[in-house]
Amino acid sequence: MKILDFDVPPIAIAWSIPLSFVAGGLVFWILYGAEPGSRADWIAAAGTWVIGIAAAAIAYIAHKRSEKEAVAEEQRRDEAKRVQRMYVAVELADAFGLDSFPADFKALEPSKQTIYELGYMHKRLMRDSERIKLGDQFVLCLTTEIVVEIKSINNAMDGIRALVEVQQEAIARRKDCDEKSLVIKWDLGVVDEIEKQTAIIRGKCEGIFAGLNDD
């Protein structure tokens, strides 16, 4: 049974019935059966008893309300934390997929591994390797290990961007080189290094995703 939106234990309801009869009989006896001299004492005693019962009831309701509010607050915090961690996972999505770009380039036939295709790979890498920036509200919901791993991912992505820029500068200095020109052996070595770094980033992301799900 609920009173004022709070569950009342069945035992309290069960006791309230006989206590009501007892209280009613006691009041009747005080008013009509007790000696006039002791009637005031009995009324005072009954008043104290009633006040005690009321105080106990109020304390019980206040306790239940406090418990209910504490549960609601905990649920609110858990939901906020879940949403924040989901945002973190979304922010990591681009870094997680970086390894597909060098893999796509290496999957091309040698005759199609042109400067144009290499430039396309560069554009995709530069687009998705921006540093991950999280506000304090998101950092606070993460473990220290995850925060450290995200910093490590940012450092690795800075390294990938540096490799791309070095390769772009080297290509720009080549003579008789245009978009249709085939890449050279050195270019393939750079792509291999980029692929290695993106694989490391993917592994770190997978570890973070597992950590977000476990907590």
Side-chain angles (χ1 to χ4, degrees), residues 84-94 96 208-209 212:
Q84 289 169 343
R85 292 191 166 196
M86 186 182 300
Y87 175 85
V88 173
V90 170
E91 285 296 294
L92 288 168
D94 285 344
F96 178 75
I208 292 175
F209 294 151
L212 293 175

Side-chain angles (χ1 to χ4, degrees), residues 81-82 85-86 89 141-143 146 205-215:
K81 193 173 183 180
R82 185 188 69 81
R85 292 191 166 196
M86 186 182 300
C141 77
L142 303 175
T143 63
I146 289 179
C205 288
E206 289 174 346
I208 292 175
F209 294 151
L212 293 175
N213 290 329
D214 289 342
D215 293 335

Side-chain angles (χ1 to χ4, degrees), residues 174-191:
R174 290 179 195 166
K175 296 180 180 179
D176 301 325
C177 180
D178 57 28
E179 291 186 340
K180 296 180 180 179
S181 301
L182 294 178
V183 297
I184 61 177
K185 185 176 180 180
W186 179 83
D187 291 326
L188 295 176
V190 175
V191 173

Side-chain angles (χ1 to χ4, degrees), residues 9-154:
I11 189 171
I13 299 173
W15 274 102
S16 66
I17 297 174
L19 285 175
S20 298
F21 283 108
V22 172
L26 179 61
V27 171
F28 181 84
W29 180 79
I30 290 172
L31 293 177
Y32 301 104
E35 293 295 329
S38 63
R39 189 168 296 167
D41 294 336
W42 278 105
I43 291 175
T48 301
W49 178 72
V50 170
I51 291 172
I53 293 294
I58 291 172
Y60 172 79
I61 292 175
H63 174 69
K64 296 300 291 183
R65 176 178 294 171
S66 178
E67 283 186 342
K68 187 174 182 180
E69 289 175 351
V71 170
E73 177 63 16
E74 184 176 358
Q75 291 174 341
R76 186 193 68 78
R77 289 179 179 176
D78 288 344
E79 178 61 16
K81 193 173 183 180
R82 185 188 69 81
V83 172
Q84 289 169 343
R85 292 191 166 196
M86 186 182 300
Y87 175 85
V88 173
V90 170
E91 285 296 294
L92 288 168
D94 285 344
F96 178 75
L98 285 174
D99 64 326
S100 66
F101 304 150
D104 287 346
F105 179 81
K106 292 178 67 174
L108 295 172
E109 296 178 8
S111 61
K112 294 182 179 179
Q113 291 179 340
T114 62
I115 295 299
Y116 172 82
E117 293 294 344
L118 185 65
Y120 181 59
M121 182 197 76
H122 288 164
K123 289 179 182 178
R124 298 168 77 191
L125 285 169
M126 296 299 276
R127 180 195 65 199
D128 290 355
S129 62
E130 293 286 346
R131 291 178 66 86
I132 299 164
K133 299 177 181 178
L134 299 176
D136 291 341
Q137 71 272 31
F138 300 107
V139 173
L140 291 175
C141 77
L142 303 175
T143 63
T144 302
E145 291 77 9
I146 289 179
V147 173
V148 170
E149 283 292 84
I150 290 176
K151 289 182 179 179
S152 177
I153 289 172
N154 279 336

